[in-house]
Amino acid sequence: MKQLIEEQHRADLLRAHGMQPRHRILLSGPPGNGKTSIAEAVAEALAVPFFTVRYDALVGSFLGETNTRLARLFDYARTVPCVLFFDEFDSIGKERGDSHETGEIKRVVSFLLMQIDRLPSYVVTVAATNHAELLDRAVWRRFELRLAMPLPSHEALAVFLDRQFEGWPQRPGVSANSLASKLGEISFAEALDFCQTVRRQHILSLANRELEDILREQVELWTSRVIATSDASRPSEAASTPKRSKRRPEAAIGRRRGTSKTL
């Protein structure tokens, strides 16, 4: 990502040598691990507007309507250097070989890929997906950077928690490494939610409760929730051996830098 930002900042030098900066990024992985944050960080580093594609205003019910709206979207994006962000990209860039999809969807995907190819290099396109396996095979070739965003490792989670502790009025009385072990395999977003819950409870206690006690209480609640979820997902004996039955049950664009605009 640092290389891409440097290429964008020094694009004139690259163009003087007949090359263009990279400007298409595909991010894949489970939710809550920073895909949207990376797109926003690129816009911040380049000091350009950040546009998010709204599928509810983009996909039409009539033949050819979606392609018309896509054309308007890309025509607008070309007018200014910006970061164009497609969240949940699999909802529009899905595999064309899927027999369950209609011909209209296949035409939309083909048109979308053609439009992405035609974007100038000063428009940084970032696509994010939680289901990389659903993307059309041709989508992957369109993006110069293809980065996986998996769940954080134990070490990365501990670093993230320690950074949260730095903003607290006092140390929690437990190491970030120990807390990471107790929370288990979670996303950065879940870890942030946990830390914010602890901080809220400490604020509401008006400093009448120790931060360490609140943290211990929240860890116990977290652990019980995880156990309950695990038990609920495990099939019961009765469910695993069903009784016999006589009958068989048959974008518009949202702009995030102070103002918003919709097409």
Side-chain angles (χ1 to χ4, degrees):
M1 298 307 303
K2 290 180 179 179
Q3 291 176 4
L4 179 138
I5 291 170
E6 181 184 9
E7 291 172 15
Q8 286 290 325
H9 279 307
R10 307 179 68 185
D12 290 342
L13 177 59
L14 289 174
R15 294 187 183 111
H17 288 78
M19 302 194 71
Q20 295 291 334
R22 286 176 289 183
H23 62 108
R24 295 191 291 266
I25 311 163
L26 178 62
L27 306 174
S28 61
N33 291 303
K35 295 188 291 295
T36 302
S37 297
I38 280 185
E40 292 174 338
V42 171
E44 185 72 20
L46 299 179
V48 297
F50 180 76
F51 297 135
T52 300
V53 177
R54 285 179 45 202
Y55 297 120
D56 61 328
L58 183 64
V59 179
S61 57
F62 298 103
L63 184 66
E65 186 177 10
T66 302
N67 281 359
T68 300
R69 294 177 179 177
L70 271 173
R72 291 168 55 193
L73 164 72
F74 284 100
D75 286 344
Y76 181 82
R78 292 187 189 96
T79 62
V80 61
C82 63
V83 171
L84 184 61
F85 181 53
F86 290 85
D87 199 6
E88 306 292 345
F89 192 64
D90 50 276
S91 63
I92 193 172
K94 57 180 59 178
E95 173 61 57
R96 284 171 290 182
D98 189 346
S99 59
H100 298 289
E101 294 298 342
T102 64
E104 173 70 359
I105 290 296
K106 295 176 182 179
R107 285 189 290 272
V108 168
V109 175
S110 298
F111 186 76
L112 172 67
L113 297 180
M114 180 184 69
Q115 291 293 324
I116 290 177
D117 283 340
R118 293 174 56 192
L119 281 175
S121 59
Y122 58 76
V123 177
V124 178
T125 305
V126 183
T129 177
N130 301 332
H131 303 283
E133 71 280 1
L134 299 180
L135 292 178
D136 189 88
R137 285 168 289 182
V139 167
W140 295 88
R141 187 175 61 82
R142 259 65 182 193
F143 292 89
E144 298 126 330
L145 286 179
R146 298 174 291 275
L147 306 178
M149 304 286 293
L151 287 172
S153 64
H154 174 84
E155 293 76 13
L157 184 59
V159 171
F160 181 80
L161 291 171
D162 196 55
R163 289 177 179 172
Q164 302 306 310
F165 293 166
E166 291 175 358
W168 291 5
Q170 62 187 76
R171 299 299 292 184
V174 62
S175 68
N177 190 64
S178 175
L179 181 57
S181 299
K182 294 176 181 178
L183 294 180
E185 294 185 357
I186 60 174
S187 67
F188 286 118
E190 289 175 307
L192 180 60
D193 288 342
F194 176 87
C195 291
Q196 290 180 341
T197 298
V198 173
R199 186 74 183 100
R200 289 190 191 100
Q201 292 299 309
H202 188 244
I203 293 172
L204 293 174
S205 72
L206 300 177
N208 291 324
R209 297 184 61 194
E210 292 294 331
L211 188 56
E212 184 176 358
D213 294 336
I214 296 174
L215 183 61
R216 186 183 303 109
E217 176 187 87
Q218 291 302 318
V219 168
E220 291 175 358
L221 289 172
W222 180 275
T223 305
S224 64
R225 188 199 69 172
V226 172
I227 293 174
T229 303
S230 177
D231 291 342
S233 62
R234 187 181 302 119
S236 64
E237 183 177 351
S240 60
T241 55
K243 296 181 180 179
R244 294 184 179 180
S245 175
K246 295 182 180 179
R247 295 183 180 180
R248 178 179 297 176
E250 303 288 310
I253 301 179
R255 180 172 179 174
R256 293 185 185 178
R257 288 179 64 87
T259 60
S260 62
K261 185 174 290 188
T262 301
L263 292 184

